[in-house]
PDB file of all heavy atoms in Angstrom:
ATOM      1  N   THR H   1     176.971 137.638 104.289  1.00  0.00           N
ATOM      2  CA  THR H   1     177.818 137.974 105.429  1.00  0.00           C
ATOM      3  C   THR H   1     179.214 138.415 104.998  1.00  0.00           C
ATOM      4  O   THR H   1     179.743 139.427 105.480  1.00  0.00           O
ATOM      5  CB  THR H   1     177.944 136.763 106.368  1.00  0.00           C
ATOM      6  OG1 THR H   1     176.638 136.376 106.811  1.00  0.00           O
ATOM      7  CG2 THR H   1     178.811 137.095 107.574  1.00  0.00           C
ATOM      8  N   PHE H   2     179.818 137.682 104.059  1.00  0.00           N
ATOM      9  CA  PHE H   2     181.198 137.936 103.673  1.00  0.00           C
ATOM     10  C   PHE H   2     181.346 138.601 102.310  1.00  0.00           C
ATOM     11  O   PHE H   2     182.426 139.106 101.987  1.00  0.00           O
ATOM     12  CB  PHE H   2     181.996 136.623 103.650  1.00  0.00           C
ATOM     13  CG  PHE H   2     182.138 135.976 105.000  1.00  0.00           C
ATOM     14  CD1 PHE H   2     181.899 134.621 105.161  1.00  0.00           C
ATOM     15  CD2 PHE H   2     182.514 136.718 106.100  1.00  0.00           C
ATOM     16  CE1 PHE H   2     182.036 134.019 106.404  1.00  0.00           C
ATOM     17  CE2 PHE H   2     182.653 136.125 107.350  1.00  0.00           C
ATOM     18  CZ  PHE H   2     182.409 134.767 107.509  1.00  0.00           C
ATOM     19  N   ALA H   3     180.313 138.576 101.490  1.00  0.00           N
ATOM     20  CA  ALA H   3     180.435 139.111 100.125  1.00  0.00           C
ATOM     21  C   ALA H   3     179.049 139.476  99.621  1.00  0.00           C
ATOM     22  O   ALA H   3     178.038 139.309 100.319  1.00  0.00           O
ATOM     23  CB  ALA H   3     181.097 138.085  99.204  1.00  0.00           C
ATOM     24  N   ASP H   4     179.010 139.949  98.377  1.00  0.00           N
ATOM     25  CA  ASP H   4     177.731 140.328  97.810  1.00  0.00           C
ATOM     26  C   ASP H   4     176.939 139.100  97.387  1.00  0.00           C
ATOM     27  O   ASP H   4     177.450 137.978  97.339  1.00  0.00           O
ATOM     28  CB  ASP H   4     177.915 141.302  96.644  1.00  0.00           C
ATOM     29  CG  ASP H   4     178.904 140.793  95.619  1.00  0.00           C
ATOM     30  OD1 ASP H   4     179.601 139.806  95.897  1.00  0.00           O
ATOM     31  OD2 ASP H   4     178.991 141.385  94.532  1.00  0.00           O
ATOM     32  N   SER H   5     175.681 139.312  97.042  1.00  0.00           N
ATOM     33  CA  SER H   5     174.762 138.192  96.811  1.00  0.00           C
ATOM     34  C   SER H   5     175.003 137.487  95.474  1.00  0.00           C
ATOM     35  O   SER H   5     174.832 136.290  95.349  1.00  0.00           O
ATOM     36  CB  SER H   5     173.318 138.680  96.866  1.00  0.00           C
ATOM     37  OG  SER H   5     173.105 139.702  95.903  1.00  0.00           O
ATOM     38  N   THR H   6     175.376 138.244  94.429  1.00  0.00           N
ATOM     39  CA  THR H   6     175.653 137.722  93.091  1.00  0.00           C
ATOM     40  C   THR H   6     174.451 136.972  92.503  1.00  0.00           C
ATOM     41  O   THR H   6     174.458 135.748  92.379  1.00  0.00           O
ATOM     42  CB  THR H   6     176.885 136.803  93.084  1.00  0.00           C
ATOM     43  OG1 THR H   6     177.925 137.381  93.870  1.00  0.00           O
ATOM     44  CG2 THR H   6     177.390 136.584  91.673  1.00  0.00           C
ATOM     45  N   PRO H   7     173.396 137.688  92.129  1.00  0.00           N
ATOM     46  CA  PRO H   7     172.271 137.019  91.467  1.00  0.00           C
ATOM     47  C   PRO H   7     172.688 136.504  90.097  1.00  0.00           C
ATOM     48  O   PRO H   7     173.429 137.166  89.367  1.00  0.00           O
ATOM     49  CB  PRO H   7     171.229 138.137  91.354  1.00  0.00           C
ATOM     50  CG  PRO H   7     172.025 139.402  91.361  1.00  0.00           C
ATOM     51  CD  PRO H   7     173.189 139.136  92.262  1.00  0.00           C
ATOM     52  N   THR H   8     172.226 135.317  89.755  1.00  0.00           N
ATOM     53  CA  THR H   8     172.677 134.673  88.518  1.00  0.00           C
ATOM     54  C   THR H   8     171.554 134.272  87.576  1.00  0.00           C
ATOM     55  O   THR H   8     171.823 133.972  86.413  1.00  0.00           O
ATOM     56  CB  THR H   8     173.489 133.415  88.848  1.00  0.00           C
ATOM     57  OG1 THR H   8     172.708 132.589  89.727  1.00  0.00           O
ATOM     58  CG2 THR H   8     174.817 133.766  89.513  1.00  0.00           C
ATOM     59  N   CYS H   9     170.307 134.218  88.056  1.00  0.00           N
ATOM     60  CA  CYS H   9     169.253 133.723  87.177  1.00  0.00           C
ATOM     61  C   CYS H   9     167.908 134.290  87.583  1.00  0.00           C
ATOM     62  O   CYS H   9     167.698 134.684  88.739  1.00  0.00           O
ATOM     63  CB  CYS H   9     169.201 132.197  87.192  1.00  0.00           C
ATOM     64  SG  CYS H   9     168.765 131.491  88.801  1.00  0.00           S
ATOM     65  N   ALA H  10     166.992 134.325  86.615  1.00  0.00           N
ATOM     66  CA  ALA H  10     165.631 134.786  86.862  1.00  0.00           C
ATOM     67  C   ALA H  10     164.669 133.903  86.090  1.00  0.00           C
ATOM     68  O   ALA H  10     164.947 133.476  84.970  1.00  0.00           O
ATOM     69  CB  ALA H  10     165.467 136.241  86.440  1.00  0.00           C
ATOM     70  N   CYS H  11     163.525 133.623  86.689  1.00  0.00           N
ATOM     71  CA  CYS H  11     162.471 132.899  85.997  1.00  0.00           C
ATOM     72  C   CYS H  11     161.128 133.364  86.537  1.00  0.00           C
ATOM     73  O   CYS H  11     161.047 133.956  87.624  1.00  0.00           O
ATOM     74  CB  CYS H  11     162.638 131.387  86.143  1.00  0.00           C
ATOM     75  SG  CYS H  11     162.739 130.787  87.838  1.00  0.00           S
ATOM     76  N   GLN H  12     160.089 133.108  85.769  1.00  0.00           N
ATOM     77  CA  GLN H  12     158.742 133.497  86.170  1.00  0.00           C
ATOM     78  C   GLN H  12     158.013 132.295  86.743  1.00  0.00           C
ATOM     79  O   GLN H  12     157.991 131.218  86.142  1.00  0.00           O
ATOM     80  CB  GLN H  12     157.976 134.063  84.980  1.00  0.00           C
ATOM     81  CG  GLN H  12     156.643 134.706  85.340  1.00  0.00           C
ATOM     82  CD  GLN H  12     155.999 135.385  84.145  1.00  0.00           C
ATOM     83  OE1 GLN H  12     155.900 134.797  83.063  1.00  0.00           O
ATOM     84  NE2 GLN H  12     155.578 136.621  84.316  1.00  0.00           N
ATOM     85  N   GLY H  13     157.436 132.474  87.929  1.00  0.00           N
ATOM     86  CA  GLY H  13     156.767 131.377  88.603  1.00  0.00           C
ATOM     87  C   GLY H  13     155.333 131.188  88.147  1.00  0.00           C
ATOM     88  O   GLY H  13     154.781 132.008  87.398  1.00  0.00           O
ATOM     89  N   PRO H  14     154.694 130.115  88.597  1.00  0.00           N
ATOM     90  CA  PRO H  14     153.296 129.869  88.252  1.00  0.00           C
ATOM     91  C   PRO H  14     152.364 130.994  88.691  1.00  0.00           C
ATOM     92  O   PRO H  14     151.272 131.143  88.139  1.00  0.00           O
ATOM     93  CB  PRO H  14     152.970 128.563  88.998  1.00  0.00           C
ATOM     94  CG  PRO H  14     154.293 127.916  89.227  1.00  0.00           C
ATOM     95  CD  PRO H  14     155.265 129.039  89.406  1.00  0.00           C
ATOM     96  N   ASP H  15     152.808 131.782  89.679  1.00  0.00           N
ATOM     97  CA  ASP H  15     152.005 132.901  90.160  1.00  0.00           C
ATOM     98  C   ASP H  15     152.248 134.186  89.375  1.00  0.00           C
ATOM     99  O   ASP H  15     151.692 135.238  89.703  1.00  0.00           O
ATOM    100  CB  ASP H  15     152.289 133.146  91.642  1.00  0.00           C
ATOM    101  CG  ASP H  15     153.777 133.340  91.938  1.00  0.00           C
ATOM    102  OD1 ASP H  15     154.593 133.295  90.988  1.00  0.00           O
ATOM    103  OD2 ASP H  15     154.132 133.523  93.116  1.00  0.00           O
ATOM    104  N   GLY H  16     153.114 134.126  88.355  1.00  0.00           N
ATOM    105  CA  GLY H  16     153.410 135.301  87.548  1.00  0.00           C
ATOM    106  C   GLY H  16     154.479 136.201  88.113  1.00  0.00           C
ATOM    107  O   GLY H  16     154.876 137.175  87.462  1.00  0.00           O
ATOM    108  N   LEU H  17     154.979 135.904  89.317  1.00  0.00           N
ATOM    109  CA  LEU H  17     156.032 136.712  89.919  1.00  0.00           C
ATOM    110  C   LEU H  17     157.404 136.196  89.492  1.00  0.00           C
ATOM    111  O   LEU H  17     157.531 135.115  88.925  1.00  0.00           O
ATOM    112  CB  LEU H  17     155.890 136.702  91.439  1.00  0.00           C
ATOM    113  CG  LEU H  17     154.554 137.225  91.980  1.00  0.00           C
ATOM    114  CD1 LEU H  17     154.577 137.309  93.494  1.00  0.00           C
ATOM    115  CD2 LEU H  17     154.182 138.578  91.374  1.00  0.00           C
ATOM    116  N   LEU H  18     158.435 136.987  89.791  1.00  0.00           N
ATOM    117  CA  LEU H  18     159.792 136.624  89.399  1.00  0.00           C
ATOM    118  C   LEU H  18     160.519 135.963  90.560  1.00  0.00           C
ATOM    119  O   LEU H  18     160.374 136.360  91.726  1.00  0.00           O
ATOM    120  CB  LEU H  18     160.569 137.853  88.933  1.00  0.00           C
ATOM    121  CG  LEU H  18     160.027 138.583  87.707  1.00  0.00           C
ATOM    122  CD1 LEU H  18     161.021 139.651  87.247  1.00  0.00           C
ATOM    123  CD2 LEU H  18     159.713 137.627  86.573  1.00  0.00           C
ATOM    124  N   TYR H  19     161.331 134.972  90.222  1.00  0.00           N
ATOM    125  CA  TYR H  19     162.151 134.250  91.191  1.00  0.00           C
ATOM    126  C   TYR H  19     163.601 134.388  90.757  1.00  0.00           C
ATOM    127  O   TYR H  19     163.960 134.034  89.632  1.00  0.00           O
ATOM    128  CB  TYR H  19     161.712 132.785  91.259  1.00  0.00           C
ATOM    129  CG  TYR H  19     160.342 132.640  91.872  1.00  0.00           C
ATOM    130  CD1 TYR H  19     159.197 132.964  91.153  1.00  0.00           C
ATOM    131  CD2 TYR H  19     160.196 132.228  93.193  1.00  0.00           C
ATOM    132  CE1 TYR H  19     157.937 132.867  91.724  1.00  0.00           C
ATOM    133  CE2 TYR H  19     158.934 132.119  93.768  1.00  0.00           C
ATOM    134  CZ  TYR H  19     157.816 132.449  93.030  1.00  0.00           C
ATOM    135  OH  TYR H  19     156.566 132.359  93.605  1.00  0.00           O
ATOM    136  N   ILE H  20     164.434 134.921  91.652  1.00  0.00           N
ATOM    137  CA  ILE H  20     165.824 135.251  91.352  1.00  0.00           C
ATOM    138  C   ILE H  20     166.738 134.402  92.219  1.00  0.00           C
ATOM    139  O   ILE H  20     166.657 134.442  93.450  1.00  0.00           O
ATOM    140  CB  ILE H  20     166.124 136.748  91.615  1.00  0.00           C
ATOM    141  CG1 ILE H  20     165.024 137.644  91.050  1.00  0.00           C
ATOM    142  CG2 ILE H  20     167.504 137.113  91.087  1.00  0.00           C
ATOM    143  CD1 ILE H  20     164.889 137.614  89.557  1.00  0.00           C
ATOM    144  N   GLY H  21     167.614 133.624  91.591  1.00  0.00           N
ATOM    145  CA  GLY H  21     168.557 132.805  92.329  1.00  0.00           C
ATOM    146  C   GLY H  21     169.899 133.500  92.486  1.00  0.00           C
ATOM    147  O   GLY H  21     170.322 134.256  91.609  1.00  0.00           O
ATOM    148  N   THR H  22     170.576 133.239  93.606  1.00  0.00           N
ATOM    149  CA  THR H  22     171.870 133.868  93.869  1.00  0.00           C
ATOM    150  C   THR H  22     172.983 132.828  93.961  1.00  0.00           C
ATOM    151  O   THR H  22     172.743 131.660  94.264  1.00  0.00           O
ATOM    152  CB  THR H  22     171.845 134.682  95.176  1.00  0.00           C
ATOM    153  OG1 THR H  22     171.733 133.790  96.298  1.00  0.00           O
ATOM    154  CG2 THR H  22     170.690 135.676  95.186  1.00  0.00           C
ATOM    155  N   LEU H  23     174.205 133.300  93.725  1.00  0.00           N
ATOM    156  CA  LEU H  23     175.379 132.437  93.817  1.00  0.00           C
ATOM    157  C   LEU H  23     175.877 132.327  95.258  1.00  0.00           C
ATOM    158  O   LEU H  23     176.210 131.239  95.723  1.00  0.00           O
ATOM    159  CB  LEU H  23     176.485 132.989  92.914  1.00  0.00           C
ATOM    160  CG  LEU H  23     177.641 132.056  92.580  1.00  0.00           C
ATOM    161  CD1 LEU H  23     177.182 130.928  91.676  1.00  0.00           C
ATOM    162  CD2 LEU H  23     178.764 132.845  91.886  1.00  0.00           C
ATOM    163  N   ALA H  24     175.971 133.477  95.935  1.00  0.00           N
ATOM    164  CA  ALA H  24     176.459 133.496  97.327  1.00  0.00           C
ATOM    165  C   ALA H  24     177.715 132.647  97.471  1.00  0.00           C
ATOM    166  O   ALA H  24     177.843 131.834  98.399  1.00  0.00           O
ATOM    167  CB  ALA H  24     175.365 133.029  98.278  1.00  0.00           C
ATOM    168  N   LEU H  25     178.659 132.851  96.565  1.00  0.00           N
ATOM    169  CA  LEU H  25     179.796 131.940  96.435  1.00  0.00           C
ATOM    170  C   LEU H  25     180.695 131.935  97.665  1.00  0.00           C
ATOM    171  O   LEU H  25     180.978 130.885  98.245  1.00  0.00           O
ATOM    172  CB  LEU H  25     180.596 132.307  95.188  1.00  0.00           C
ATOM    173  CG  LEU H  25     181.758 131.386  94.843  1.00  0.00           C
ATOM    174  CD1 LEU H  25     181.240 130.007  94.468  1.00  0.00           C
ATOM    175  CD2 LEU H  25     182.575 131.979  93.691  1.00  0.00           C
ATOM    176  N   VAL H  26     181.156 133.108  98.071  1.00  0.00           N
ATOM    177  CA  VAL H  26     182.121 133.178  99.175  1.00  0.00           C
ATOM    178  C   VAL H  26     181.506 132.642 100.461  1.00  0.00           C
ATOM    179  O   VAL H  26     182.141 131.870 101.203  1.00  0.00           O
ATOM    180  CB  VAL H  26     182.617 134.621  99.356  1.00  0.00           C
ATOM    181  CG1 VAL H  26     183.531 134.725 100.571  1.00  0.00           C
ATOM    182  CG2 VAL H  26     183.339 135.104  98.099  1.00  0.00           C
ATOM    183  N   ASP H  27     180.272 133.035 100.729  1.00  0.00           N
ATOM    184  CA  ASP H  27     179.626 132.566 101.959  1.00  0.00           C
ATOM    185  C   ASP H  27     179.418 131.058 101.939  1.00  0.00           C
ATOM    186  O   ASP H  27     179.541 130.396 102.971  1.00  0.00           O
ATOM    187  CB  ASP H  27     178.296 133.295 102.144  1.00  0.00           C
ATOM    188  CG  ASP H  27     178.492 134.717 102.623  1.00  0.00           C
ATOM    189  OD1 ASP H  27     178.979 135.542 101.828  1.00  0.00           O
ATOM    190  OD2 ASP H  27     178.194 135.009 103.793  1.00  0.00           O
ATOM    191  N   SER H  28     179.124 130.490 100.765  1.00  0.00           N
ATOM    192  CA  SER H  28     178.951 129.036 100.683  1.00  0.00           C
ATOM    193  C   SER H  28     180.265 128.303 100.903  1.00  0.00           C
ATOM    194  O   SER H  28     180.276 127.182 101.427  1.00  0.00           O
ATOM    195  CB  SER H  28     178.363 128.660  99.324  1.00  0.00           C
ATOM    196  OG  SER H  28     177.048 129.163  99.189  1.00  0.00           O
TER     197      SER H  28
END
């Protein structure tokens, strides 16, 4: 809402797909 998403990490799940975590600092 207030800023960009800022992705910070990636990992591969048990299903073989990628999971990307975000910081979302300003909105938090």
